[in-house]
Each structure stands twice: as structure tokens, then as C-alpha cells.
Amino acid sequence: MKKFDKDRLLLAAAGPVLALVSAFVLTMIVLAASGVDPIDPLRIMFEQAGYEDIQVLILNQAGIYYLAALAVAIGFRMNLFNIGVDGQYRLAAMISAVIGAAVTLPGPLQILMIVAVAMLTGAFWAGIAGILKAKRGVSEVVSTIMLNAIATSLIAWLLLPKNLGVQLPGSNDLTTGDIPESGWFPAVEIGPGLEIYGFTFVAFALGVVYWFVLNRTRFGFDLRATGASESAAQASGVDAKKMIMTSMLISGAVAGLTGMPLLLGESHTYNLSFPAGIGFTGITIALLGRNNPLGIFFSALLIAFIDKASAGLDTAGYAKEIGTIMQGLIVIAVVVSYEFVRRYGIRRQQQKVGAELAAGHAIKTDKEVAA
């Protein structure tokens, strides 16, 4: 039993390790083929990560990525591919920013209201895909992709000055108005001008909640069982359609929190420059982290490191898009390496079963001879 657990642990670690090594090797090959020094850009990125301000940026970005990846991972554990995290997060950030700027409550109540609105908005938008999946069998991949496009257009329409948007004098930017200071989440100051978003720690704490619910509750068992085999779960009394709806609602609610570190910690408004594409990055991080909260944490740090450390490459004469290339190669390497490890694990298990059957047959033959 111990040996089985050891083998399983090694196989689980082999996937991400092989993916990362492959991605870095492929990056160096691409750089060398382009006539660029394959080592120097990586050296500069690691040097950048040594600066305290870059470290703060990495940690803040990792918190945002962590929430997006958790939202994706919840769907993955249910065998659902929630590609709509990006639309759910941006729509939730926009609506919560509008409510936060329009309504003023005392102290923590303002923050709680904004967070609740974000979660409800994200859950509502993901719930549309959940209903289509549970009631009509519509693929969540198709519906969430379409809902992303609808969310983008809806946000653009709502941000018009004639609707909910505010255009500052002398600016082309459109915002939702500023959230009052009572709605600012307290930050952790580690130096002059260096602050870690307070909501970053909430994000990492949600990882513990995710682990506990998934591994120590009946709901988590039902979710994992339904994701592994919907028919088997139904045979054991689990309502698969209800689990689909519940999982999509929870995934959407967590996706709604993705924008909270930035909204409550720095921008205090939603505008045209609010980052897009974070939900898609969350898919990469969830895959690389194997849907495990600890694995997702380190994956979020890695992707955030690539994001922020590569920003300084242009000052050294290199294209900062090298970081984007690395992230893209990581995605490809994750898919290939995980499939390779999966097939290797199946072959290894078949070999072990074959060896055990052969050993059992040999023992039986010896007993027959002795008899």
C-alpha cells in the first residue's frame, strides 16, 4: 500500500515537473532559433524577481490568478470545463464596482456588500451555462465561450455615459465611479509605496476552504464522484443534475471574487483598462497545479513571476513578449506531458497487475504439484 501511494505521488509530481522543464527547454530553443541569447533573458528575469517591488507585484498578481484558477478547478473536479471565468470575473467586477460607488455603508459592511454582489453576479452568469447543461445537455464549453462574448459586449454597453459609466473631464476613459474609502480592503504595507493587497490573503485562505470542502465533506465526495462517473454517482443516489448546477454556481461565485484584490486594493473603480484574459490564464494554472490548492498556489506564483519579471526585458533590449511565449509553451507542455504521464501510469499499473496475476498463478501451480 505504501509503495502504491509512493508511485502515485511520483506520477502526480512528474507531470508538472516534466511540463516546466520541457517549457523552459523549448523556450531556449525558440530563442536560439530566433537569434536571441537563450540564457540572458532568463537571467534578467530572475534578477528582476530579486527586487522587492517586483516581488510585491508578483504576490499581488498571484492572488488574482489563484482565485481564477480555483474557479476553474472547481469545474474540473466536476468534469466541467468552465471557460467562462473571464467573463464572469469581469462582469462581477463591473457590477460590484457600480453598486460600491452608488451605495455607501459603514466600515466592513461596504466591503461585504461589494464582495457579495461580485459573488452573486459571477454565480448568476455561470448559472446560465449550468442550467443549459443540466436541463438541455448543452456543452458548457460552448455556452461559456458565448457568454464570455456576451459579457464583453454587455460591459461595454453598461459603461456608456448614458447608462452606468462615468467619463472623466478631459479623458477618453470610462469608469464606474470611485468606491468610497469605506470599501477599500486594508493592505499590508511592507515598505514605502509597497503594499500587498489584503484580499490576496483571503484568496489563499480560500484554497484551504477548497481543500477542506473537497476532501472532508459529503458534498466534496459527491462532487468528485459525479465528476469521475456520472452514472455511478446517480446509481449511488447522487443527483447529477443538481451537482452540475451547484458546481457551476460555486465556480462562478469564486470567479466573481477574482477581480476583488485589484478592485478593493488598488483601482477602486472599474474602467476600460481593467485586465482581461485572467480567466484563461486561470485554466493554465489549474491544469499545471493538477487542481490541487497547493499546486495551484505554486503555479500561480510561477505565471505571475513570468508576467512581472518579463516586463523588464525591453529595457535590456529583449522583447517582453518572451514571457508570453513561455506561458504558451507551458500550456502545450502541460497537455503533452500529462498525457504522457497518464499513459505511462496506465502501462505501469497493467504491468503490476500482470505480475501479481502471474505470481498468484505460480503459487497455485506449486500447491497443485505439492498436492
Side-chain angles (χ1 to χ4, degrees), residues 352-368:
K352 289 175 65 176
V353 171
E356 290 174 359
L357 290 175
H361 178 72
I363 293 173
K364 183 179 179 181
T365 303
D366 290 342
K367 288 182 177 179
E368 290 176 351

Side-chain angles (χ1 to χ4, degrees), residues 27-28 32 43 89-90 96 104 139 143 157 194 205 208 226 236 246 275-276 294 310 346 357:
T27 300
M28 289 189 287
R43 178 189 61 78
Y89 127 76
R90 288 188 292 115
S96 60
T104 303
S139 169
S143 59
W157 180 75
L194 299 177
V208 179
T226 309
S236 63
T246 305
L294 189 60
S310 62
I346 292 174
L357 290 175

Side-chain angles (χ1 to χ4, degrees), residues 24-286:
F24 279 104
V25 170
L26 287 173
T27 300
M28 289 189 287
I29 292 174
V30 169
L31 292 177
S34 304
V36 178
D37 187 331
I39 303 297
D40 198 46
L42 299 178
R43 178 189 61 78
I44 293 172
M45 289 174 64
F46 281 107
E47 284 184 356
Q48 289 286 313
Y51 296 114
E52 197 172 38
D53 56 338
I54 300 298
Q55 292 171 0
V56 171
L57 290 174
I58 290 173
L59 193 59
N60 285 335
Q61 191 66 36
I64 296 172
Y65 284 159
Y66 192 76
L67 288 168
L70 279 184
V72 174
I74 291 169
F76 278 160
R77 296 309 296 261
M78 182 60 197
N79 203 23
L80 296 172
F81 206 154
N82 183 9
I83 301 181
V85 168
D86 199 68
Q88 295 153 20
Y89 127 76
R90 288 188 292 115
L91 186 62
M94 189 267 174
I95 298 298
S96 60
V98 169
I99 301 298
V103 180
T104 303
L105 297 176
L109 292 179
Q110 180 80 359
I111 297 174
L112 289 175
M113 177 192 68
I114 295 172
V115 170
V117 170
M119 293 180 70
L120 289 172
T121 304
F124 168 76
W125 206 246
I128 298 174
I131 291 174
L132 292 173
K133 174 74 173 180
K135 301 297 184 182
R136 292 289 180 262
V138 177
S139 169
E140 73 282 359
V141 174
V142 175
S143 59
T144 51
I145 287 176
M146 298 307 296
L147 285 168
N148 275 341
I150 295 171
T152 299
S153 300
L154 181 60
I155 291 170
W157 180 75
L158 290 174
L159 273 179
L160 293 175
K162 65 178 182 179
N163 296 320
L164 302 176
V166 177
Q167 186 169 5
L168 301 176
S171 172
N172 292 326
D173 195 14
L174 297 174
T175 77
T176 55
D178 291 331
I179 296 174
E181 195 168 344
S182 60
W184 298 6
F185 202 97
V188 177
E189 186 173 352
I190 63 172
L194 299 177
E195 292 183 342
I196 300 174
Y197 302 149
F199 211 88
T200 297
F201 299 99
V202 176
F204 296 148
L206 282 177
V208 179
V209 176
Y210 164 82
W211 174 86
F212 179 82
V213 171
L214 204 63
N215 296 284
R216 293 293 184 269
T217 67
R218 172 60 187 271
F219 170 78
F221 174 79
D222 289 347
L223 186 147
R224 289 183 287 113
T226 309
S229 174
E230 186 175 320
S231 58
Q234 284 181 322
S236 63
V238 178
D239 189 338
K241 291 184 178 180
K242 181 181 178 181
M243 290 303 299
I244 290 173
M245 274 300 305
T246 305
S247 300
M248 286 301 293
L249 289 172
I250 296 175
S251 178
V254 176
L257 294 176
T258 302
M260 293 301 100
L262 181 59
L263 181 67
L264 301 181
E266 182 178 335
S267 67
H268 310 303
T269 188
Y270 186 96
N271 53 28
L272 295 177
S273 62
F274 214 80
I278 289 177
F280 298 106
T281 305
I283 296 174
T284 301
I285 294 170

